Amino acid sequence: MIEQKIKFYSDGLQLDGAFFTDESNNDPSLPIVIACSGFTGQKNIHPERYARAWTPKGFTVFGFDYRGFGESEGTRERVILEEQVRDIANAVAIVRQRADEEGRKVVLAGWGMAGGLILDAYRICEGQVDGLVAMNGFFDAVRVQKALRGEHGWKAFKQFMAEERLRLALGGEQKGIDPFEIYPLDPVSREYVYTELVKAPGYGVTSDFDFADSLISFKPEAHLDERFSSVPLLIAHGAENDLHPVTEPKSLYAAYPGPKSLFLLANGGHTEWMLDDDPRFIEFSGHIANWIVDNV
Protein backbone atom coordinates (compact mmCIF):
# COMPACT_ATOMS: atom_id res chain seq x y z
CA MET A 1 0.00 0.00 0.00
CA ILE A 2 1.34 3.40 -1.02
CA GLU A 3 0.93 6.28 1.44
CA GLN A 4 0.99 9.88 0.20
CA LYS A 5 1.22 12.14 3.23
CA ILE A 6 -0.37 15.59 3.15
CA LYS A 7 -1.05 18.44 5.56
CA PHE A 8 -4.22 20.50 5.61
CA TYR A 9 -5.82 23.01 7.97
CA SER A 10 -8.90 23.13 10.17
CA ASP A 11 -9.67 26.25 12.22
CA GLY A 12 -6.05 27.29 11.62
CA LEU A 13 -4.62 24.03 12.98
CA GLN A 14 -2.46 21.87 10.75
CA LEU A 15 -3.84 18.33 10.50
CA ASP A 16 -2.03 15.21 9.36
CA GLY A 17 -3.59 13.22 6.54
CA ALA A 18 -2.70 10.70 3.86
CA PHE A 19 -4.01 9.23 0.63
CA PHE A 20 -3.60 5.46 0.35
CA THR A 21 -3.50 3.52 -2.92
CA ASP A 22 -2.54 0.06 -4.06
CA GLU A 23 0.60 -0.21 -6.14
CA SER A 24 -0.86 -2.70 -8.61
CA ASN A 25 -4.61 -1.97 -8.55
CA ASN A 26 -5.62 1.70 -8.58
CA ASP A 27 -8.92 2.26 -10.39
CA PRO A 28 -9.42 5.97 -11.22
CA SER A 29 -13.10 5.35 -11.97
CA LEU A 30 -13.85 4.48 -8.35
CA PRO A 31 -14.75 7.10 -5.71
CA ILE A 32 -12.18 8.31 -3.20
CA VAL A 33 -13.25 7.08 0.24
CA ILE A 34 -12.60 9.20 3.34
CA ALA A 35 -12.34 6.86 6.36
CA CYS A 36 -12.95 8.72 9.64
CA SER A 37 -11.94 7.45 13.07
CA GLY A 38 -14.29 7.07 15.99
CA PHE A 39 -13.81 8.18 19.58
CA THR A 40 -10.11 8.51 20.55
CA GLY A 41 -9.25 6.96 17.20
CA GLN A 42 -6.13 7.65 15.20
CA LYS A 43 -5.34 7.51 11.49
CA ASN A 44 -2.93 4.62 12.11
CA ILE A 45 -5.70 2.40 13.54
CA HIS A 46 -9.04 1.95 11.76
CA PRO A 47 -8.61 4.34 8.79
CA GLU A 48 -5.46 2.50 7.77
CA ARG A 49 -7.20 -0.82 8.45
CA TYR A 50 -9.94 0.08 5.99
CA ALA A 51 -7.32 1.37 3.55
CA ARG A 52 -5.62 -2.03 3.66
CA ALA A 53 -8.98 -3.66 2.91
CA TRP A 54 -10.17 -1.31 0.16
CA THR A 55 -7.05 -0.29 -1.76
CA PRO A 56 -6.49 -3.82 -3.15
CA LYS A 57 -10.00 -3.48 -4.64
CA GLY A 58 -8.86 -0.39 -6.55
CA PHE A 59 -10.04 2.36 -4.20
CA THR A 60 -8.11 5.41 -3.12
CA VAL A 61 -8.64 5.94 0.63
CA PHE A 62 -7.99 9.09 2.64
CA GLY A 63 -7.36 9.04 6.38
CA PHE A 64 -6.46 11.79 8.82
CA ASP A 65 -5.99 12.58 12.51
CA TYR A 66 -8.39 14.93 14.25
CA ARG A 67 -6.90 17.96 15.97
CA GLY A 68 -5.01 16.95 19.10
CA PHE A 69 -4.31 13.41 17.91
CA GLY A 70 -1.39 11.76 16.14
CA GLU A 71 0.76 14.33 14.36
CA SER A 72 -2.04 16.89 14.03
CA GLU A 73 -1.84 20.18 15.88
CA GLY A 74 -4.19 21.13 18.68
CA THR A 75 -4.70 20.51 22.38
CA ARG A 76 -3.61 16.95 22.98
CA GLU A 77 -6.39 14.37 23.12
CA ARG A 78 -9.17 16.95 23.52
CA VAL A 79 -12.43 15.59 22.10
CA ILE A 80 -15.10 18.13 21.24
CA LEU A 81 -17.48 16.67 18.70
CA GLU A 82 -18.33 19.98 17.05
CA GLU A 83 -14.61 20.53 16.38
CA GLN A 84 -14.22 17.06 14.91
CA VAL A 85 -17.16 17.74 12.61
CA ARG A 86 -15.28 20.75 11.23
CA ASP A 87 -12.13 18.65 10.85
CA ILE A 88 -14.12 16.17 8.75
CA ALA A 89 -15.62 18.94 6.62
CA ASN A 90 -12.15 20.37 5.93
CA ALA A 91 -10.87 16.90 5.01
CA VAL A 92 -13.78 16.67 2.56
CA ALA A 93 -12.71 19.97 0.97
CA ILE A 94 -9.19 18.68 0.37
CA VAL A 95 -10.36 15.33 -1.01
CA ARG A 96 -13.03 16.97 -3.16
CA GLN A 97 -10.37 19.08 -4.85
CA ARG A 98 -8.40 15.98 -5.85
CA ALA A 99 -11.56 14.12 -6.87
CA ASP A 100 -12.61 16.99 -9.15
CA GLU A 101 -9.18 17.07 -10.77
CA GLU A 102 -9.42 13.32 -11.43
CA GLY A 103 -13.10 13.26 -12.39
CA ARG A 104 -14.09 11.11 -9.42
CA LYS A 105 -16.74 10.97 -6.71
CA VAL A 106 -16.25 11.14 -2.94
CA VAL A 107 -17.62 8.80 -0.27
CA LEU A 108 -17.53 9.84 3.40
CA ALA A 109 -17.33 6.89 5.80
CA GLY A 110 -17.34 7.14 9.59
CA TRP A 111 -16.56 4.44 12.13
CA GLY A 112 -18.13 4.36 15.62
CA MET A 113 -18.79 7.87 16.88
CA ALA A 114 -17.84 9.19 13.46
CA GLY A 115 -20.81 7.29 12.02
CA GLY A 116 -22.84 10.19 13.41
CA LEU A 117 -20.17 12.86 12.94
CA ILE A 118 -20.22 12.40 9.17
CA LEU A 119 -23.95 13.20 9.14
CA ASP A 120 -23.36 16.49 10.93
CA ALA A 121 -20.38 17.19 8.65
CA TYR A 122 -22.48 16.63 5.54
CA ARG A 123 -24.82 19.42 6.62
CA ILE A 124 -21.94 21.90 6.19
CA CYS A 125 -20.37 20.36 3.07
CA GLU A 126 -23.51 19.48 1.13
CA GLY A 127 -22.80 18.86 -2.52
CA GLN A 128 -19.18 17.84 -1.93
CA VAL A 129 -19.97 14.23 -0.97
CA ASP A 130 -21.63 11.64 -3.21
CA GLY A 131 -22.23 8.85 -0.69
CA LEU A 132 -22.26 8.27 3.08
CA VAL A 133 -21.35 5.16 5.09
CA ALA A 134 -22.16 5.04 8.83
CA MET A 135 -20.32 2.11 10.42
CA ASN A 136 -21.27 0.92 13.92
CA GLY A 137 -22.38 4.40 14.87
CA PHE A 138 -24.91 5.97 17.21
CA PHE A 139 -27.22 8.79 16.33
CA ASP A 140 -28.72 10.04 19.61
CA ALA A 141 -26.22 10.22 22.48
CA VAL A 142 -28.77 10.49 25.30
CA ARG A 143 -30.68 7.50 23.97
CA VAL A 144 -27.49 5.43 23.97
CA GLN A 145 -26.37 6.70 27.39
CA LYS A 146 -29.67 5.56 28.88
CA ALA A 147 -29.35 2.17 27.19
CA LEU A 148 -25.80 1.67 28.48
CA ARG A 149 -26.22 3.03 31.99
CA GLY A 150 -29.78 2.09 32.80
CA GLU A 151 -32.18 4.54 34.40
CA HIS A 152 -30.38 4.71 37.76
CA GLY A 153 -26.98 5.05 36.11
CA TRP A 154 -28.27 7.85 33.88
CA LYS A 155 -29.60 9.75 36.90
CA ALA A 156 -26.25 9.33 38.65
CA PHE A 157 -24.41 10.62 35.59
CA LYS A 158 -26.67 13.68 35.39
CA GLN A 159 -25.99 14.31 39.08
CA PHE A 160 -22.24 14.09 38.43
CA MET A 161 -22.58 16.61 35.61
CA ALA A 162 -24.57 19.02 37.77
CA GLU A 163 -22.02 18.83 40.61
CA GLU A 164 -19.05 19.23 38.28
CA ARG A 165 -20.66 22.17 36.50
CA LEU A 166 -21.23 23.92 39.83
CA ARG A 167 -17.64 23.26 40.91
CA LEU A 168 -16.34 24.83 37.69
CA ALA A 169 -18.84 27.71 37.88
CA LEU A 170 -17.47 28.53 41.35
CA GLY A 171 -13.97 28.85 39.91
CA GLY A 172 -12.67 25.32 40.17
CA GLU A 173 -10.02 24.16 37.72
CA GLN A 174 -10.68 21.69 34.91
CA LYS A 175 -9.48 18.21 35.81
CA GLY A 176 -8.72 15.15 33.77
CA ILE A 177 -11.52 12.60 33.55
CA ASP A 178 -11.34 9.07 32.21
CA PRO A 179 -13.20 9.45 28.89
CA PHE A 180 -14.80 6.05 29.37
CA GLU A 181 -16.45 7.34 32.52
CA ILE A 182 -18.28 9.78 30.24
CA TYR A 183 -18.65 7.41 27.30
CA PRO A 184 -18.91 3.98 28.96
CA LEU A 185 -17.78 0.83 27.17
CA ASP A 186 -19.42 -2.56 27.18
CA PRO A 187 -17.11 -5.32 28.59
CA VAL A 188 -16.13 -6.76 25.19
CA SER A 189 -15.26 -3.34 23.73
CA ARG A 190 -13.30 -2.44 26.87
CA GLU A 191 -11.18 -5.57 26.49
CA TYR A 192 -10.49 -4.72 22.83
CA VAL A 193 -9.48 -1.15 23.70
CA TYR A 194 -7.04 -2.26 26.39
CA THR A 195 -5.57 -5.21 24.48
CA GLU A 196 -5.55 -4.01 20.85
CA LEU A 197 -5.91 -0.23 20.51
CA VAL A 198 -3.29 0.51 23.17
CA LYS A 199 -0.74 -1.18 20.89
CA ALA A 200 -1.04 1.67 18.36
CA PRO A 201 1.82 4.19 18.66
CA GLY A 202 0.65 7.27 20.54
CA TYR A 203 -2.71 5.85 21.61
CA GLY A 204 -4.07 7.19 24.87
CA VAL A 205 -6.53 9.83 25.91
CA THR A 206 -7.58 11.96 28.86
CA SER A 207 -10.85 13.84 28.75
CA ASP A 208 -12.50 16.67 30.67
CA PHE A 209 -15.94 18.05 31.41
CA ASP A 210 -16.23 19.82 28.06
CA PHE A 211 -16.43 16.43 26.36
CA ALA A 212 -19.42 15.47 28.49
CA ASP A 213 -21.27 18.63 27.43
CA SER A 214 -20.41 18.00 23.80
CA LEU A 215 -21.48 14.36 23.93
CA ILE A 216 -24.91 14.75 25.46
CA SER A 217 -25.76 17.42 22.86
CA PHE A 218 -24.91 15.02 20.02
CA LYS A 219 -28.04 13.97 18.09
CA PRO A 220 -27.35 13.88 14.34
CA GLU A 221 -30.51 11.91 13.66
CA ALA A 222 -32.57 14.93 14.72
CA HIS A 223 -30.88 17.16 12.13
CA LEU A 224 -31.67 15.14 9.02
CA ASP A 225 -33.47 17.29 6.46
CA GLU A 226 -33.95 17.79 2.72
CA ARG A 227 -30.18 18.19 2.24
CA PHE A 228 -29.90 14.41 2.58
CA SER A 229 -32.68 13.56 0.14
CA SER A 230 -30.42 12.74 -2.80
CA VAL A 231 -27.26 11.34 -1.16
CA PRO A 232 -27.24 7.55 -0.66
CA LEU A 233 -26.46 6.20 2.81
CA LEU A 234 -25.26 2.76 3.86
CA ILE A 235 -25.76 1.96 7.53
CA ALA A 236 -23.49 -0.98 8.41
CA HIS A 237 -23.65 -2.31 11.96
CA GLY A 238 -22.79 -5.30 14.09
CA ALA A 239 -25.95 -7.29 14.76
CA GLU A 240 -24.74 -8.08 18.31
CA ASN A 241 -23.39 -4.63 19.15
CA ASP A 242 -23.79 -4.01 22.89
CA LEU A 243 -22.06 -0.61 22.89
CA HIS A 244 -24.20 1.01 20.21
CA PRO A 245 -27.38 -1.09 20.28
CA VAL A 246 -28.87 -2.31 17.03
CA THR A 247 -31.84 -0.02 17.69
CA GLU A 248 -29.51 2.84 16.63
CA PRO A 249 -29.03 1.84 12.97
CA LYS A 250 -32.69 0.84 12.72
CA SER A 251 -33.79 4.23 14.03
CA LEU A 252 -31.49 6.06 11.61
CA TYR A 253 -32.73 3.93 8.74
CA ALA A 254 -36.33 4.82 9.55
CA ALA A 255 -35.51 8.54 9.79
CA TYR A 256 -33.17 8.97 6.81
CA PRO A 257 -34.91 10.89 3.99
CA GLY A 258 -32.70 9.78 1.09
CA PRO A 259 -31.70 6.52 -0.62
CA LYS A 260 -30.61 4.09 2.09
CA SER A 261 -29.44 0.56 2.81
CA LEU A 262 -29.03 -1.31 6.11
CA PHE A 263 -26.51 -4.12 6.62
CA LEU A 264 -26.31 -5.99 9.93
CA LEU A 265 -23.17 -8.08 10.38
CA ALA A 266 -24.03 -11.49 11.83
CA ASN A 267 -22.20 -12.26 15.10
CA GLY A 268 -20.60 -8.81 15.07
CA GLY A 269 -20.27 -6.82 18.27
CA HIS A 270 -18.90 -3.30 18.30
CA THR A 271 -15.19 -3.63 17.73
CA GLU A 272 -13.73 -6.98 18.82
CA TRP A 273 -13.69 -8.20 15.18
CA MET A 274 -11.82 -5.15 13.88
CA LEU A 275 -8.75 -7.15 12.88
CA ASP A 276 -7.49 -7.37 9.31
CA ASP A 277 -7.78 -11.14 9.08
CA ASP A 278 -11.04 -11.62 11.01
CA PRO A 279 -13.65 -13.11 8.63
CA ARG A 280 -16.25 -10.69 9.99
CA PHE A 281 -14.11 -7.66 9.16
CA ILE A 282 -13.44 -9.05 5.70
CA GLU A 283 -17.19 -9.54 5.15
CA PHE A 284 -18.04 -6.11 6.56
CA SER A 285 -15.46 -4.15 4.58
CA GLY A 286 -16.24 -6.19 1.45
CA HIS A 287 -19.96 -5.44 1.71
CA ILE A 288 -19.21 -1.72 2.00
CA ALA A 289 -16.90 -1.80 -1.04
CA ASN A 290 -19.55 -3.58 -3.11
CA TRP A 291 -22.24 -1.12 -1.98
CA ILE A 292 -20.10 1.83 -3.05
CA VAL A 293 -19.55 0.33 -6.50
CA ASP A 294 -23.27 -0.33 -6.94
CA ASN A 295 -24.74 2.83 -5.41
CA VAL A 296 -22.36 5.79 -5.75
Side-chain angles (χ1 to χ4, degrees), residues 8 12 18 35 56 64 152 188 192 194 207 216 243 272 275:
F8 66 103
F64 70 98
H152 291 296
V188 176
Y192 179 88
Y194 289 106
S207 192
I216 65 167
L243 181 62
E272 78 286 351
L275 303 165

PDB file of all heavy atoms in Angstrom, residues 8 12 18 35 56 64 152 188 192 194 207 216 243 272 275:
ATOM      1  N   PHE A   8      -3.163  19.557   5.932  1.00  0.00           N
ATOM      2  CA  PHE A   8      -4.224  20.503   5.615  1.00  0.00           C
ATOM      3  C   PHE A   8      -4.639  21.189   6.911  1.00  0.00           C
ATOM      4  O   PHE A   8      -4.153  20.840   7.992  1.00  0.00           O
ATOM      5  CB  PHE A   8      -5.409  19.823   4.918  1.00  0.00           C
ATOM      6  CG  PHE A   8      -6.168  18.832   5.769  1.00  0.00           C
ATOM      7  CD1 PHE A   8      -7.393  19.161   6.342  1.00  0.00           C
ATOM      8  CD2 PHE A   8      -5.674  17.540   5.976  1.00  0.00           C
ATOM      9  CE1 PHE A   8      -8.096  18.241   7.110  1.00  0.00           C
ATOM     10  CE2 PHE A   8      -6.374  16.620   6.742  1.00  0.00           C
ATOM     11  CZ  PHE A   8      -7.592  16.975   7.316  1.00  0.00           C
ATOM     12  N   GLY A  12      -7.417  26.799  11.483  1.00  0.00           N
ATOM     13  CA  GLY A  12      -6.054  27.292  11.624  1.00  0.00           C
ATOM     14  C   GLY A  12      -5.056  26.285  12.145  1.00  0.00           C
ATOM     15  O   GLY A  12      -3.866  26.588  12.247  1.00  0.00           O
ATOM     16  N   ALA A  18      -3.405  11.494   4.861  1.00  0.00           N
ATOM     17  CA  ALA A  18      -2.698  10.703   3.859  1.00  0.00           C
ATOM     18  C   ALA A  18      -3.693  10.068   2.903  1.00  0.00           C
ATOM     19  O   ALA A  18      -4.783   9.637   3.310  1.00  0.00           O
ATOM     20  CB  ALA A  18      -1.847   9.620   4.523  1.00  0.00           C
ATOM     21  N   ALA A  35     -12.057   7.732   5.218  1.00  0.00           N
ATOM     22  CA  ALA A  35     -12.335   6.860   6.362  1.00  0.00           C
ATOM     23  C   ALA A  35     -12.044   7.616   7.649  1.00  0.00           C
ATOM     24  O   ALA A  35     -10.886   7.936   7.937  1.00  0.00           O
ATOM     25  CB  ALA A  35     -11.499   5.589   6.277  1.00  0.00           C
ATOM     26  N   PRO A  56      -6.687  -2.723  -2.192  1.00  0.00           N
ATOM     27  CA  PRO A  56      -6.492  -3.824  -3.147  1.00  0.00           C
ATOM     28  C   PRO A  56      -7.678  -4.011  -4.102  1.00  0.00           C
ATOM     29  O   PRO A  56      -7.547  -4.674  -5.137  1.00  0.00           O
ATOM     30  CB  PRO A  56      -6.336  -5.055  -2.239  1.00  0.00           C
ATOM     31  CG  PRO A  56      -5.861  -4.513  -0.938  1.00  0.00           C
ATOM     32  CD  PRO A  56      -6.565  -3.197  -0.801  1.00  0.00           C
ATOM     33  N   PHE A  64      -7.081  10.629   8.181  1.00  0.00           N
ATOM     34  CA  PHE A  64      -6.456  11.785   8.821  1.00  0.00           C
ATOM     35  C   PHE A  64      -6.628  11.668  10.330  1.00  0.00           C
ATOM     36  O   PHE A  64      -7.442  10.886  10.834  1.00  0.00           O
ATOM     37  CB  PHE A  64      -7.078  13.098   8.327  1.00  0.00           C
ATOM     38  CG  PHE A  64      -8.491  13.326   8.798  1.00  0.00           C
ATOM     39  CD1 PHE A  64      -8.755  14.122   9.899  1.00  0.00           C
ATOM     40  CD2 PHE A  64      -9.561  12.728   8.148  1.00  0.00           C
ATOM     41  CE1 PHE A  64     -10.054  14.328  10.346  1.00  0.00           C
ATOM     42  CE2 PHE A  64     -10.867  12.929   8.571  1.00  0.00           C
ATOM     43  CZ  PHE A  64     -11.112  13.720   9.680  1.00  0.00           C
ATOM     44  N   HIS A 152     -31.061   4.229  36.558  1.00  0.00           N
ATOM     45  CA  HIS A 152     -30.376   4.709  37.759  1.00  0.00           C
ATOM     46  C   HIS A 152     -28.994   5.259  37.420  1.00  0.00           C
ATOM     47  O   HIS A 152     -28.572   6.296  37.955  1.00  0.00           O
ATOM     48  CB  HIS A 152     -30.264   3.585  38.794  1.00  0.00           C
ATOM     49  CG  HIS A 152     -31.586   3.186  39.388  1.00  0.00           C
ATOM     50  ND1 HIS A 152     -32.345   4.038  40.150  1.00  0.00           N
ATOM     51  CD2 HIS A 152     -32.272   2.013  39.320  1.00  0.00           C
ATOM     52  CE1 HIS A 152     -33.454   3.425  40.535  1.00  0.00           C
ATOM     53  NE2 HIS A 152     -33.439   2.196  40.035  1.00  0.00           N
ATOM     54  N   VAL A 188     -16.893  -6.238  26.327  1.00  0.00           N
ATOM     55  CA  VAL A 188     -16.127  -6.756  25.187  1.00  0.00           C
ATOM     56  C   VAL A 188     -15.332  -5.634  24.524  1.00  0.00           C
ATOM     57  O   VAL A 188     -14.153  -5.803  24.182  1.00  0.00           O
ATOM     58  CB  VAL A 188     -17.061  -7.446  24.179  1.00  0.00           C
ATOM     59  CG1 VAL A 188     -16.285  -7.896  22.937  1.00  0.00           C
ATOM     60  CG2 VAL A 188     -17.742  -8.655  24.814  1.00  0.00           C
ATOM     61  N   TYR A 192     -11.142  -5.017  24.107  1.00  0.00           N
ATOM     62  CA  TYR A 192     -10.492  -4.721  22.832  1.00  0.00           C
ATOM     63  C   TYR A 192      -9.651  -3.453  22.938  1.00  0.00           C
ATOM     64  O   TYR A 192      -8.506  -3.413  22.467  1.00  0.00           O
ATOM     65  CB  TYR A 192     -11.551  -4.575  21.734  1.00  0.00           C
ATOM     66  CG  TYR A 192     -10.985  -4.244  20.374  1.00  0.00           C
ATOM     67  CD1 TYR A 192     -10.584  -5.243  19.498  1.00  0.00           C
ATOM     68  CD2 TYR A 192     -10.841  -2.918  19.961  1.00  0.00           C
ATOM     69  CE1 TYR A 192     -10.066  -4.938  18.251  1.00  0.00           C
ATOM     70  CE2 TYR A 192     -10.329  -2.601  18.718  1.00  0.00           C
ATOM     71  CZ  TYR A 192      -9.941  -3.617  17.863  1.00  0.00           C
ATOM     72  OH  TYR A 192      -9.425  -3.305  16.631  1.00  0.00           O
ATOM     73  N   TYR A 194      -8.221  -2.138  25.532  1.00  0.00           N
ATOM     74  CA  TYR A 194      -7.044  -2.260  26.389  1.00  0.00           C
ATOM     75  C   TYR A 194      -6.122  -3.412  26.006  1.00  0.00           C
ATOM     76  O   TYR A 194      -5.059  -3.579  26.619  1.00  0.00           O
ATOM     77  CB  TYR A 194      -7.480  -2.363  27.847  1.00  0.00           C
ATOM     78  CG  TYR A 194      -8.017  -1.039  28.362  1.00  0.00           C
ATOM     79  CD1 TYR A 194      -9.377  -0.843  28.557  1.00  0.00           C
ATOM     80  CD2 TYR A 194      -7.153   0.023  28.609  1.00  0.00           C
ATOM     81  CE1 TYR A 194      -9.869   0.381  29.003  1.00  0.00           C
ATOM     82  CE2 TYR A 194      -7.637   1.254  29.051  1.00  0.00           C
ATOM     83  CZ  TYR A 194      -8.989   1.414  29.251  1.00  0.00           C
ATOM     84  OH  TYR A 194      -9.467   2.633  29.677  1.00  0.00           O
ATOM     85  N   SER A 207      -9.755  12.955  29.119  1.00  0.00           N
ATOM     86  CA  SER A 207     -10.845  13.838  28.746  1.00  0.00           C
ATOM     87  C   SER A 207     -11.094  14.862  29.853  1.00  0.00           C
ATOM     88  O   SER A 207     -10.408  14.885  30.866  1.00  0.00           O
ATOM     89  CB  SER A 207     -12.109  13.014  28.475  1.00  0.00           C
ATOM     90  OG  SER A 207     -13.093  13.805  27.857  1.00  0.00           O
ATOM     91  N   ILE A 216     -23.480  14.876  25.220  1.00  0.00           N
ATOM     92  CA  ILE A 216     -24.913  14.753  25.463  1.00  0.00           C
ATOM     93  C   ILE A 216     -25.733  15.674  24.557  1.00  0.00           C
ATOM     94  O   ILE A 216     -26.962  15.535  24.481  1.00  0.00           O
ATOM     95  CB  ILE A 216     -25.284  15.004  26.936  1.00  0.00           C
ATOM     96  CG1 ILE A 216     -24.996  16.449  27.349  1.00  0.00           C
ATOM     97  CG2 ILE A 216     -24.581  14.010  27.849  1.00  0.00           C
ATOM     98  CD1 ILE A 216     -25.627  16.817  28.677  1.00  0.00           C
ATOM     99  N   LEU A 243     -22.456  -1.983  22.579  1.00  0.00           N
ATOM    100  CA  LEU A 243     -22.060  -0.614  22.892  1.00  0.00           C
ATOM    101  C   LEU A 243     -23.009   0.384  22.233  1.00  0.00           C
ATOM    102  O   LEU A 243     -23.495   1.311  22.877  1.00  0.00           O
ATOM    103  CB  LEU A 243     -20.619  -0.358  22.441  1.00  0.00           C
ATOM    104  CG  LEU A 243     -20.070   1.032  22.743  1.00  0.00           C
ATOM    105  CD1 LEU A 243     -20.029   1.292  24.244  1.00  0.00           C
ATOM    106  CD2 LEU A 243     -18.696   1.237  22.125  1.00  0.00           C
ATOM    107  N   GLU A 272     -14.658  -5.881  18.548  1.00  0.00           N
ATOM    108  CA  GLU A 272     -13.728  -6.984  18.818  1.00  0.00           C
ATOM    109  C   GLU A 272     -13.281  -7.704  17.544  1.00  0.00           C
ATOM    110  O   GLU A 272     -12.244  -8.372  17.530  1.00  0.00           O
ATOM    111  CB  GLU A 272     -14.355  -7.982  19.811  1.00  0.00           C
ATOM    112  CG  GLU A 272     -15.381  -8.945  19.225  1.00  0.00           C
ATOM    113  CD  GLU A 272     -16.725  -8.313  18.914  1.00  0.00           C
ATOM    114  OE1 GLU A 272     -16.949  -7.150  19.301  1.00  0.00           O
ATOM    115  OE2 GLU A 272     -17.558  -8.982  18.269  1.00  0.00           O
ATOM    116  N   LEU A 275     -10.093  -6.608  13.127  1.00  0.00           N
ATOM    117  CA  LEU A 275      -8.753  -7.146  12.880  1.00  0.00           C
ATOM    118  C   LEU A 275      -8.693  -7.509  11.403  1.00  0.00           C
ATOM    119  O   LEU A 275      -9.640  -8.081  10.856  1.00  0.00           O
ATOM    120  CB  LEU A 275      -8.492  -8.378  13.747  1.00  0.00           C
ATOM    121  CG  LEU A 275      -8.643  -8.169  15.266  1.00  0.00           C
ATOM    122  CD1 LEU A 275      -8.725  -9.507  15.989  1.00  0.00           C
ATOM    123  CD2 LEU A 275      -7.480  -7.342  15.802  1.00  0.00           C
TER     124      LEU A 275
END
